[in-house]
């Protein structure tokens, strides 16, 4: 069994998974390792990071020196295929009356957004599972940190995470033997740490899904799959074949040596080796098929190559299509039994949509001018960060919940904008003198990006647009958005903090008001909440295992099920939830309950 | 896991009675090959090893000749790095101003209008186009427009042009690997073992000991 290039699949599977990213990839791998016959249906094309990743390609080999454009927002070499903020032929819109325009990022490729993400992998903390109990806002999870902690351990062991243990409030450490060592900080990161100390702002090693050393595959696999010799063999061998980071090239391009986590480099290869996983690519699911008794029987999809309809059947259906696409499939799966969309007895599908609060600032730091050159590429992303540090003073801040700060600076691979600072710092200079100025200022800039928790509110949601279909004939989504004061005030706090740090480093920064400084909703690409888990069918869509209350053999496994969207980036938590859900599903299947 | 694997059969069955419309794969038809590339937009799924520029480069030889002189005045050759024209900056600028994005369309007007402006200006002053002037005459002109804050009001357009040209030249020049060593970028090479971190010399310079 394999990637079905011949488009021929089995007559019927145990499980269909829609989507191949973090949730779908992890579910697919764990089920396949346990002998379940799985069909994975991916809307995008097949994608092989080992063959396709442009690891060392330089800007001069790309159009416009690789600069980001509206076609390739994160630059020419970003690992996004067939999409971005716009997917050709697959529109979305804004609902009349919305205050903000929502941006919806979608790739169309095997592995989905796991090919491009920042690999920041922070565990949600104890408080993050019970936010409503703490401050009365949003929703509590039906589980607590201790329920998920063992699955964070497993997900981290499987994926490979670098980081450190710091013992900070609501910033869980991993047990010994799980994390790999964090890479040493770069000069700019250490300098930020030095000045942040004076402001009582902590700077500690970040956790990222990048291998800082080779994996001992057999030892890890033995811990992960103690009673499953074939899983130990397959996963153990595959882990040992992943290379450690060689401290070059940015992670956003993907990783041909498999040092960082992508579903396509870490989850799908061992899953395929079991022989229990089939994958159909270029297949766009439009709805979940149901029988007269309210059980899911499979999915109806459009084969994008022939533009024909097709059906795939299974005993169990799992939607891992991403937060908004999963909601779209549910809302489009209307029937006499489910007139408001599938699994939507609570009316919550599409509601409670959140994204991280994002705001950023850059600044010039004189001390970083004219430093002797050394290789600062590092792990293709940050080595340090600032976890939220204001729990004790939260009540005085004018907003609930926190944010973390991602930071960086130094001499990365030069691109079109790397010397933009010379417009201000060296106006009028040309000739040999300009080359001197370029050397002096290159890398003498630091940047800060805040990623904060948004609280779900009734004005932020997606729904089916009654008047529009995409090129596959599938009704599209439209979005409605309004920030609350919590997000706006939080962004103001971010701006003030960044300016304070930059000014303490000898730079000159002016903070903007939060409303102006906020990134677009959807722009941080951390959407969550459109089919949230809860403790009862009245107020939520799924239980804590992602099983829908209304349809027993229908599961959701992506960030749509998250009742809150803490500042700690979603992917690691989706991976942990998927593991917990797979254990539950396997057990239910064994017992014949599903 | 409960049932044996049955013989492989297509699930591309007629949806027929079960469900809605759509053209359907005829029985017995050869199954289609999956897409290796999406084709709606060349940048939606680029071929990294064979980059294509799907737009025209609009500038003609005389414009490129003027730009060749200008970019070399902005970033001339020295012992460590090449002249801007030696890594074909004029061709890059031609690619840049031909691109369909809003920023590039604006730069198109600024750069092409500016090349004409500077030739007219040179002609008025010296009776020749810019590239045929002596270098001292050329730099004398540049000195009057290189700093937008100091340029005379009647030269404002020329100053705006030069400001834009200088920044595009800086971007195009230093994003080319031939300039990196001189600039101080020494990355994009694999390192075995742990990341080495900051050299001791810099730790001392910046007072980063013990952090």
């Amino acid at each position: 069994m394999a990637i079905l290039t011949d488009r021929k699949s089995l007559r019927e599977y145990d499980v269909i998974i829609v989507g191949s990213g973090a949730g779908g990839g992890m579910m697919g791998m764990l089920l396949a390792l346990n002998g379940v016959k799985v069909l994975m249906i991916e809307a995008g094309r097949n994608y092989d990071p080992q063959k396709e990743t442009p690891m060392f390609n330089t800007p001069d080999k790309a159009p416009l020196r690789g600069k980001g454009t509206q076609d390739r927002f994160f630059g020419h070499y970003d690992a996004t295929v067939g999409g971005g903020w716009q997917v050709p032929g697959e529109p979305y819109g804004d609902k009349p009356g919305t205050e903000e325009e929502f941006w919806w990022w979608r790739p169309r490729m095997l592995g989905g957004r796991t090919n491009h993400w920042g690999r920041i992998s922070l565990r949600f903390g104890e408080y993050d599972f019970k936010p409503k109990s703490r401050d009365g806002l949003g929703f509590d999870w039906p589980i607590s940190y201790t329920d998920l902690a063992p699955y964070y351990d497993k997900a981290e062991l499987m994926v490979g995470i670098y980081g450190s243990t710091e013992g900070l409030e609501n910033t869980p450490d991993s047990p010994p033997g799980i994390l790999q060592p964090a890479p040493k900080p770069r000069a700019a990161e250490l300098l930020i740490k030095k000045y942040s100390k004076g402001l009582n702002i902590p700077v500690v090693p970040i956790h990222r899904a990048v291998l800082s050393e080779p994996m001992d595959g057999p030892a890890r696999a033995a811990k992960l799959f103690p009673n499953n010799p074939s899983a130990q063999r397959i996963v153990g061998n595959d882990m040992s074949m992943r290379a450690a980071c060689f401290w070059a090239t940015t992670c956003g391009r993907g990783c041909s040596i498999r040092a960082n986590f992508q579903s396509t480099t870490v989850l799908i290869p061992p899953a395929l080796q079991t022989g229990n996983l089939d994958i159909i690519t270029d297949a766009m699911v439009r709805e979940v098929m149901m029988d007269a008794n309210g059980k899911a029987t499979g999915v109806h999809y459009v084969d994008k190559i022939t533009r024909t309809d097709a059906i795939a059947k299974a005993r169990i259906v799992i939607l891992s299509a991403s937060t908004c696409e999963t909601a779209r499939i549910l809302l489009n799966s209307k029937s006499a039994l489910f007139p408001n969309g599938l699994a939507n007895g609570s009316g919550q599908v599409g509601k409670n949509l959140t994204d991280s609060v994002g705001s950023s600032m850059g600044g010039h730091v004189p001390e970083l001018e004219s430093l002797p050159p050394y290789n600062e590429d590092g792990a293709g992303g940050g080595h340090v960060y600032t976890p939220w540090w204001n729990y004790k003073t939260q009540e005085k801040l004018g907003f609930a919940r926190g944010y973390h700060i991602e930071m960086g600076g130094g001499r990365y691979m030069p691109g079109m904008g790397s010397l933009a600072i010379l417009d201000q710092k060296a106006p009028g200079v040309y000739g040999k003198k300009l080359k001197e100025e370029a050397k002096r200022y290159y890398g003498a800039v630091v940047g800060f990006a805040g990623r904060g928790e948004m609280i779900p509110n009734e004005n932020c949601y997606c729904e089916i647009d009654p008047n529009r279909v995409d090129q596959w004939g599938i009704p599209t989504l439209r979005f409605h958005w309004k920030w609350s004061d919590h997000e706006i005030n939080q962004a103001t706090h971010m701006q003030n903090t960044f300016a304070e740090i930059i000014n303490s480093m000898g730079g000159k920064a002016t903070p903007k008001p939060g409303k102006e400084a906020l990134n677009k909703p959807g722009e941080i690409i951390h959407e969550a909440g459109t089919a949230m888990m809860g403790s009862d069918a009245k107020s939520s869509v799924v239980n804590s295992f992602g099983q829908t209350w209304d349809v027993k053999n229908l599961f959701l496994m992506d960030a749509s099920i998250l009742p809150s969207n803490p500042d700690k980036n979603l992917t690691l938590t989706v991976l942990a939830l998927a593991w917990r859900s797979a254990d539950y599903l396997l057990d239910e299947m064994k017992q014949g309950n599903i | 896991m409960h049932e044996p694997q049955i013989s492989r059969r297509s699930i591309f069955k007629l949806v027929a009675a079960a469900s809605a419309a759509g053209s359907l794969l005829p029985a017995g038809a050869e199954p289609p090959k999956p897409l290796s590339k999406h084709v709606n937009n060349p940048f939606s799924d680029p071929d990294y090893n064979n980059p294509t520029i799907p737009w025209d480069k609009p500038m003609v030889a005389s414009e490129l000749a003027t730009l060749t002189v200008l970019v070399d005045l902005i970033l001339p050759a020295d012992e460590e790095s090449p002249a801007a024209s030696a890594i074909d900056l004029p061709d890059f600028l031609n690619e840049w101003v031909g691109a369909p994005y809003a920023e590039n369309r604006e730069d198109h007007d600024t750069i092409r209008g500016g090349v004409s402006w500077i030739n007219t200006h040179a002609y008025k002053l010296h009776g020749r186009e810019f590239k045929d002037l002596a270098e001292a005459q050329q730099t004398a002109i540049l000195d009057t427009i290189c700093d937008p804050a100091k340029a005379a009001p009647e030269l404002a357009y020329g100053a705006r042009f030069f400001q834009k040209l200088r920044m595009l030249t800086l971007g195009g020049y230093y994003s080319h690997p031939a300039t990196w060593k001189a600039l101080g970028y020494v990355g994009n090479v694999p390192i075995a073992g742990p990341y080495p971190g900051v050299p001791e010399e810099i730790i001392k310079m910046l007072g980063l000991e013990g952090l």
Side-chain angles (χ1 to χ4, degrees), chain A residues 86-102:
Chain A
Q86 295 295 334
V87 176
E90 297 179 23
Y92 58 91
D94 297 309
K95 188 179 183 184
T98 185
E99 277 199 1
E100 304 280 339
E101 178 183 81
F102 186 84

Side-chain angles (χ1 to χ4, degrees), chain A residues 1 4-11 14 34-37 39 45 52 54-65 67 69-72 76-78 80-83 88 108 183-187 190-191 193-194 197 245-249 278 280-282 300-301 303 305-313 315 367-368 371-378 383 411-416 419-420 422-423 426-432 434-435 438-439 442 471 586 589-590, chain B residues 1-3 5-13 15 18-25 31-38 40-41 43-49 51-53 55 73-83 87 89 92 95-96 99 101-104 138-140 142-143 146-148 162-163 166-168 170-177 180 182-199 201-203 205-208 210-211:
Chain A
M1 297 171 89
L4 299 177
T5 49
D6 60 359
R7 319 297 282 170
K8 286 183 181 168
S9 55
L10 299 184
R11 186 183 187 76
D14 295 320
N34 283 285
V36 178
K37 300 291 182 203
L39 176 66
R45 74 162 170 88
E52 297 191 50
M55 292 291 271
F56 292 98
N57 295 29
T58 47
D60 57 310
K61 301 284 189 282
L64 306 176
R65 291 295 201 261
K67 183 182 175 295
T69 64
Q70 65 196 67
D71 288 322
R72 297 196 67 75
H76 188 71
Y77 293 127
D78 176 48
T80 297
V81 166
R108 288 290 181 242
K184 288 182 187 169
R186 306 167 176 99
L190 286 173
L191 199 65
K193 183 174 179 178
K194 175 176 163 178
K197 226 175 193 173
C245 182
F246 53 32
W247 318 113
T249 88
D278 281 351
I280 291 187
T281 57
D282 303 292
H300 178 165
Y301 64 92
D303 186 329
I305 296 149
T306 56
R307 304 186 76 97
T308 53
D309 287 74
I311 286 176
K313 293 193 159 186
R315 290 164 54 205
E367 277 183 275
L368 291 172
L371 287 185
Y374 76 102
N375 189 332
E376 298 188 274
D377 283 358
H383 294 187
R411 295 158 196 229
Y412 301 129
M413 183 186 281
M416 267 313 279
L419 292 155
L422 294 182
D423 210 18
V429 177
Y430 66 94
K432 287 188 178 171
L434 184 57
K435 287 184 157 180
K439 274 193 243 184
Y442 164 55
Q471 66 160 318
L586 285 164
M589 286 172 84
K590 251 178 230 155
Chain B
M1 63 183 163
H2 302 293
E3 41 196 344
Q5 184 172 338
I6 55 169
S7 64
R8 290 188 161 207
R9 289 182 52 176
S10 174
I11 52 154
F12 286 76
K13 299 187 289 190
V15 186
S19 152
S23 59
L24 301 163
L25 191 67
K33 295 268 180 292
L35 299 180
S36 59
K37 291 274 162 191
H38 289 281
N40 315 47
N41 172 338
F43 291 146
S44 184
D45 193 358
D47 180 348
Y48 296 123
N49 294 320
T52 49
I53 313 288
W55 56 78
L73 287 166
I74 294 169
L75 291 167
D78 60 19
E79 313 72 52
E80 291 183 312
S81 50
I87 54 170
L89 244 289
F92 165 69
E95 173 195 322
W96 182 272
Y101 308 105
E103 171 191 12
N104 303 81
Q138 290 168 339
T139 54
L142 293 193
D143 288 341
C146 65
D147 191 341
F162 189 81
Q163 182 180 23
R166 191 182 79 125
M167 293 316 292
L168 290 179
L170 273 169
Y173 183 81
Y174 285 112
S175 53
H176 194 290
W180 288 352
L183 183 65
Y185 176 67
V186 294
N188 210 32
V189 291
I191 298 171
Y195 177 64
V198 186
E201 177 194 8
I202 297 177
I203 297 274
M205 280 173 75
L206 297 178
L208 303 175
L211 284 169

Side-chain angles (χ1 to χ4, degrees), chain B residues 101-205:
Chain B
Y101 308 105
E103 171 191 12
N104 303 81
R105 286 206 306 269
E106 198 177 306
D107 292 350
H108 172 272
D109 296 350
T110 305
I111 296 299
R112 294 189 82 178
V115 167
S116 294
W117 180 91
I118 207 164
N119 279 327
T120 304
H121 189 60
Y123 188 82
K124 281 184 183 168
L125 291 177
H126 306 292
R128 289 186 203 176
E129 65 178 288
F130 184 78
K131 78 172 163 53
D132 295 331
L133 302 183
E135 191 174 327
Q137 292 172 316
Q138 290 168 339
T139 54
I141 290 177
L142 293 193
D143 288 341
T144 62
I145 60 172
C146 65
D147 191 341
K150 293 180 190 154
E154 65 274 19
L155 301 180
Y157 184 82
R160 247 195 337 270
F161 158 65
F162 189 81
Q163 182 180 23
K164 175 56 72 178
L165 179 65
R166 191 182 79 125
M167 293 316 292
L168 290 179
T169 302
L170 273 169
Y173 183 81
Y174 285 112
S175 53
H176 194 290
T179 69
W180 288 352
K181 202 172 163 228
L183 183 65
Y185 176 67
V186 294
N188 210 32
V189 291
I191 298 171
Y195 177 64
V198 186
E200 209 42 53
E201 177 194 8
I202 297 177
I203 297 274
K204 280 191 192 130
M205 280 173 75

Side-chain angles (χ1 to χ4, degrees), chain A residues 236-499:
Chain A
N237 288 342
D238 198 68
M239 279 177 167
S240 294
M241 284 164 64
R242 293 179 60 194
C245 182
F246 53 32
W247 318 113
T249 88
T250 57
C251 292
R253 296 182 180 208
C255 193
S256 66
I257 63 166
R258 304 169 69 203
N260 72 26
F261 169 77
Q262 297 165 243
S263 179
T264 38
T265 55
V266 176
L267 303 176
I268 290 175
L272 285 172
Q273 285 170 46
T274 65
N276 293 322
L277 174 68
D278 281 351
I279 302 173
I280 291 187
T281 57
D282 303 292
M284 181 84 181
V285 169
R286 60 171 300 142
E287 61 189 87
V288 178
M289 307 287 297
M290 302 294 296
D291 68 11
N293 304 317
K295 262 186 75 179
T297 58
V299 297
H300 178 165
Y301 64 92
V302 179
D303 186 329
K304 287 180 159 182
I305 296 149
T306 56
R307 304 186 76 97
T308 53
D309 287 74
I311 286 176
K313 293 193 159 186
R315 290 164 54 205
I316 294 156
V317 174
I318 303 172
L319 300 183
S320 298
S322 86
T323 292
C324 298
E325 196 73 54
T326 288
R328 181 185 179 199
I329 294 169
L330 291 174
L331 293 171
N332 275 327
S333 302
K334 280 186 195 174
S335 62
L337 271 177
F338 300 100
N340 300 319
L342 193 57
N344 196 19
S346 65
Q348 294 299 307
V349 174
K351 303 283 199 300
N352 311 311
L353 177 59
T354 54
D355 183 28
S356 292
V357 179
S359 185
S360 56
M361 186 186 287
H364 162 236
V365 174
E367 277 183 275
L368 291 172
E369 290 170 18
S370 304
L371 287 185
Y374 76 102
N375 189 332
E376 298 188 274
D377 283 358
H383 294 187
V384 300
Y385 84 122
T386 292
W388 180 237
W389 69 104
N390 288 310
Y391 291 104
K392 301 284 183 270
T393 54
Q394 187 87 51
E395 281 172 18
K396 297 180 213 149
L397 297 179
F399 60 92
R401 319 291 169 81
Y403 60 88
H404 73 255
I405 308 172
E406 299 167 17
M407 56 191 68
R411 295 158 196 229
Y412 301 129
M413 183 186 281
M416 267 313 279
S418 297
L419 292 155
I421 185 177
L422 294 182
D423 210 18
Q424 285 93 48
K425 292 291 172 192
V429 177
Y430 66 94
K432 287 188 178 171
K433 177 89 198 305
L434 184 57
K435 287 184 157 180
E436 295 306 315
E437 296 287 52
K439 274 193 243 184
R440 174 180 167 189
Y441 285 106
Y442 164 55
V445 172
V446 292
F448 298 88
R451 295 289 179 261
E453 178 166 0
M454 172 187 171
I455 298 161
N457 74 63
E458 59 187 11
N459 296 306
C460 297
Y461 57 89
C462 60
E463 63 184 22
I464 299 297
D465 188 329
N467 300 314
R468 205 173 188 191
V469 294
D470 66 12
Q471 66 160 318
W472 316 109
I474 304 172
T476 61
L477 287 180
R478 64 182 185 184
F479 294 86
H480 189 277
W481 201 273
K482 188 183 173 188
W483 296 113
S484 79
D485 286 345
H486 290 289
E487 289 80 41
I488 294 166
N489 294 343
Q490 188 185 68
T492 302
H493 192 272
M494 289 179 185
Q495 286 286 311
N496 292 338
T497 303
F498 303 157

